[in-house]
Amino acid sequence: MFRLITGIPGPSGFGSASTAEQVTQGIDATALTAIITGGASGIGLETSRVLCKRNVHVIIGARNMEAANEAKQMIIKDNNKARIDIIKLNLASLKSVKAFADHFISLNLPLNILINNAGIMFCPYQLSEDGIEMQLATNHLGHFYLTSLLLDKMKETAKSTGIEGRIVNLSSVAHIHTYYRGIRFHKINEKSSYSDKKAYGQSKLANILHANELSRRLQAEGANITVNSVHPGLIMTNLFKYAAISMRILKFFSCILWKNVPQGAATTCYVALHPKLKGVSGKYFVDCNESAPSRLATDEALAKKLWDFSNKLINAAQTT
């Protein structure tokens, strides 16, 4: 907490006050291609901008193509050498996720970095078009499916180039505030006991569990790909649209804990690009430093159960 408030750097040399540009200073990533979901707004947009500044070819996956095109033009105006493309992606639709992956693969591009950034927060109870509770569907399942569809491309790229692939899942400190036992597998869509805050925490816990389990599997097969999860910090972005008033009140009383957008994108950019993290996998990062997540987040049995459960949800949705 002291480091968070003061911005004093941790062991990495960076801290809560570091910005995305600062943590990637001097890195030339010309050879890299990255997909960033939700890369057209908030910290996703800043992540896209900074990766373009470091010469990464950025592919933004976005639901709102008009907003994504505006973001693209803004980045190009700031950096006329930016390599940036946009592809439509609605993470709450498994059909859209598949279409996105098929479109990307058809471009015959390499894929070095996958940043699972997009998300929704504290929304009222609703189901996705595949009949799955919306926060879990968008924040976890869509990214789980997208990652699985793109994994062979990432393995192929890492093998042919010799460059380590990196997958970054955006989680949140909110993963500690979830349902009893973490994931309520037996009543994932139950409306009567739905809590918008706990459902968000559940989805963010799922992001860490997914990253950890995928990391274990990739290490077991010797793939040159790392998988980590990050907490970006408290940032007032459109993510808070369902709780704008309460969040502004919270920010008033806890202003010293909040970050601006360039600071909020720092940990993502650090984990995605920094050479210090070569070979580091299955970890959770806060303020550009490794941190300890909750006990549930490190439960290997829970992670394996979620992996199987997620595949069952996807298979069931595709057969209906």
Side-chain angles (χ1 to χ4, degrees), residues 89-123:
L89 172 64
N90 176 6
L91 286 159
S93 163
L94 296 177
K95 185 183 295 184
S96 175
V97 172
K98 180 67 163 61
F100 173 93
D102 287 345
H103 185 164
F104 175 78
I105 290 169
S106 73
L107 299 175
N108 200 29
L109 291 170
L111 182 58
N112 307 93
I113 301 167
L114 173 59
I115 299 177
N116 291 320
N117 166 83
I120 58 173
M121 183 180 193
F122 301 165
C123 66

Side-chain angles (χ1 to χ4, degrees), residues 69-231:
N69 191 56
E70 289 175 3
K72 175 182 176 179
Q73 297 309 315
M74 185 194 77
I75 290 172
I76 292 173
K77 185 177 179 181
D78 178 62
N79 173 14
N80 61 15
K81 294 182 180 179
R83 296 179 295 156
I84 183 167
D85 294 291
I86 56 176
I87 303 176
K88 187 171 181 61
L89 172 64
N90 176 6
L91 286 159
S93 163
L94 296 177
K95 185 183 295 184
S96 175
V97 172
K98 180 67 163 61
F100 173 93
D102 287 345
H103 185 164
F104 175 78
I105 290 169
S106 73
L107 299 175
N108 200 29
L109 291 170
L111 182 58
N112 307 93
I113 301 167
L114 173 59
I115 299 177
N116 291 320
N117 166 83
I120 58 173
M121 183 180 193
F122 301 165
C123 66
Y125 177 84
Q126 55 188 300
L127 298 179
S128 71
E129 71 173 47
D130 301 298
I132 299 158
E133 186 275 310
M134 187 62 82
Q135 293 194 77
L136 189 76
T138 305
N139 298 349
H140 165 64
L141 196 65
H143 283 129
F144 179 92
Y145 188 40
L146 178 66
T147 303
S148 69
L149 292 172
L150 296 174
L151 202 54
D152 283 344
K153 170 59 73 172
M154 292 197 73
K155 290 177 182 177
E156 174 190 309
T157 301
K159 186 174 182 179
S160 63
T161 64
I163 300 172
E164 177 183 86
R166 295 188 181 184
I167 298 171
V168 184
N169 279 4
L170 266 75
S171 181
S172 168
V173 70
H175 78 271
I176 65 176
H177 181 62
T178 182
Y179 295 110
Y180 179 63
R181 293 182 179 171
I183 310 291
R184 53 179 198 171
F185 297 103
H186 61 297
K187 49 182 179 180
I188 203 70
N189 290 335
E190 188 173 277
K191 185 176 182 179
S192 61
S193 59
Y194 176 78
S195 160
D196 58 354
K197 309 299 187 299
K198 289 183 179 180
Y200 179 70
Q202 173 180 246
S203 71
K204 296 291 99 179
L205 172 62
N207 292 148
I208 302 177
L209 292 169
H210 170 220
N212 291 351
E213 180 62 17
L214 180 56
S215 175
R216 281 190 287 271
R217 289 170 182 252
L218 290 173
Q219 286 178 325
E221 65 179 80
N224 189 22
I225 300 172
T226 64
V227 195
N228 293 291
S229 50
V230 305
H231 165 55

